[in-house]
Amino acid sequence: MNDYIAYLRTRRVAIVGAGISNLPLLKLLVTEGVDVSVRDKAPIELDAPRSVIGDGYLDCSGEDVVFRSPGVRPWELTLSPGATLTSEMEAFFELCPCPIIAVTGSDGKTTTTTLIAELLRADGLTVHLGGNLGRPLLTEIPNMRKSDYAVVELSSFQLMTMRRSPHIAVITNVSPNHLDWHRSYDEYVAAKCNIFLWQRPGDRLIYGNAAVQSGVQPAKMLGEHNRVNFATAVEATRGLVSDSAIQSVAECFVGVEHRLEPVRELRGV
């Protein structure tokens, strides 16, 4: 991490999109004395050496390293020849000292990602949970150990320009989605495929479907689709957690917030 910051100090750096995922990154870079500009379509009040707001914020010519937020379409950016286009998550993948388990898919990825983290924690392992769940992880790297696990949810927006894949990749399912953002369904599928295209020998890919449900009956979550999510999470952690950890999560985990969550009973409904 120190070497990476030292490298950035010798470059002009831009952050395009001042959303949640980039705010800890911005604070880190400013604190470390990096020459960084913040670029956003809407007016913002942030402590940064340079800023570009409104028209022209996608013109990053003159910048050496450009961090884009997941919502910024990479093909809309103007980059200088030789400039590096990256993101908070891509940098995390380069620098993370511990194994990464990543989940993507059109549906079920948040539940599956959360379940994987719960299974690992049930066996006493330290887990860093984040990504598309809303928690940036790059700035947490100094607190991570090789024996920990990073569990991240990845959207197609984040995967679009990824050139690294996790040690364990999970695809819950793929169906037409986000076609108001992607230029075609093929582009959407290609983005999803980046979760495994850069894997190395010894890495694993799990494609979640009914075929991995064998042996999974005790799950407390409502819905057949959640049994598939649970089975997929079990498959992703195969060899990493004990049967007792699996049983404990199956009996206690009722689902993530706002997913089939009981809120009131009225006249028996």
Side-chain angles (χ1 to χ4, degrees), residues 14-157:
I15 294 177
V16 185
I20 293 175
S21 64
N22 281 336
L23 291 181
L25 172 63
L26 172 62
K27 182 178 180 180
L28 171 68
L29 296 184
V30 170
T31 300
E32 295 291 342
V34 175
D35 178 19
V36 58
S37 71
V38 178
R39 298 164 171 271
D40 203 284
K41 186 176 182 179
I44 50 175
E45 293 184 9
L46 295 172
D47 183 18
R50 298 179 285 123
S51 62
V52 179
I53 306 301
D55 293 343
Y57 81 103
L58 295 174
D59 184 357
C60 297
S61 54
E63 308 283 6
D64 301 309
V65 180
V66 178
F67 289 88
R68 71 174 184 93
S69 71
V72 174
R73 297 175 174 91
W75 61 87
E76 294 181 341
L77 292 167
T78 301
L79 303 176
S80 300
T84 299
L85 177 61
T86 186
S87 67
E88 181 270 339
M89 184 53 65
E90 290 174 72
F92 173 75
F93 266 62
E94 289 185 28
L95 302 173
C96 180
C98 63
I100 300 174
I101 304 176
V103 180
T104 195
S106 300
D107 298 290
K109 54 184 177 291
T110 296
T111 297
T112 303
T113 304
T114 305
L115 276 166
I116 290 171
E118 290 295 320
L119 288 167
L120 294 168
R121 287 169 175 159
D123 237 7
L125 297 167
T126 299
V127 177
H128 305 274
L129 178 64
N132 196 50
L133 286 168
R135 185 184 178 198
L137 293 176
L138 180 61
T139 55
E140 294 188 20
I141 284 179
N143 302 320
M144 295 182 182
R145 302 170 299 175
K146 290 183 178 180
S147 58
D148 297 347
Y149 282 88
V151 181
V152 298
E153 177 186 323
L154 297 178
S155 69
S156 61
F157 307 155

Side-chain angles (χ1 to χ4, degrees), residues 100-105 116 154 159 165-174 189 191-209 212 231-238:
I100 300 174
I101 304 176
V103 180
T104 195
I116 290 171
L154 297 178
L159 285 164
S165 294
H167 303 87
I168 299 175
V170 179
I171 303 176
T172 58
N173 48 64
V174 178
V189 172
K192 293 293 190 186
C193 288
N194 271 337
I195 200 170
F196 68 84
L197 281 181
W198 310 95
Q199 285 189 313
R200 300 174 180 178
D203 293 340
R204 297 173 57 210
L205 167 66
I206 294 94
Y207 189 91
N209 55 41
V212 298
T232 304
V234 169
E235 188 66 25
T237 55
R238 184 180 297 278

Side-chain angles (χ1 to χ4, degrees), residues 182-247:
H182 287 283
R183 292 170 292 187
S184 68
Y185 180 55
D186 287 344
E187 181 183 272
Y188 172 70
V189 172
K192 293 293 190 186
C193 288
N194 271 337
I195 200 170
F196 68 84
L197 281 181
W198 310 95
Q199 285 189 313
R200 300 174 180 178
D203 293 340
R204 297 173 57 210
L205 167 66
I206 294 94
Y207 189 91
N209 55 41
V212 298
Q213 289 190 78
S214 58
V216 178
Q217 303 296 328
K220 193 171 183 179
M221 292 183 295
L222 297 173
E224 182 65 23
H225 65 290
N226 273 328
R227 280 186 281 275
V228 176
N229 291 334
F230 188 86
T232 304
V234 169
E235 188 66 25
T237 55
R238 184 180 297 278
L240 302 178
V241 302
S242 64
D243 289 345
S244 61
I246 295 172
Q247 186 68 27

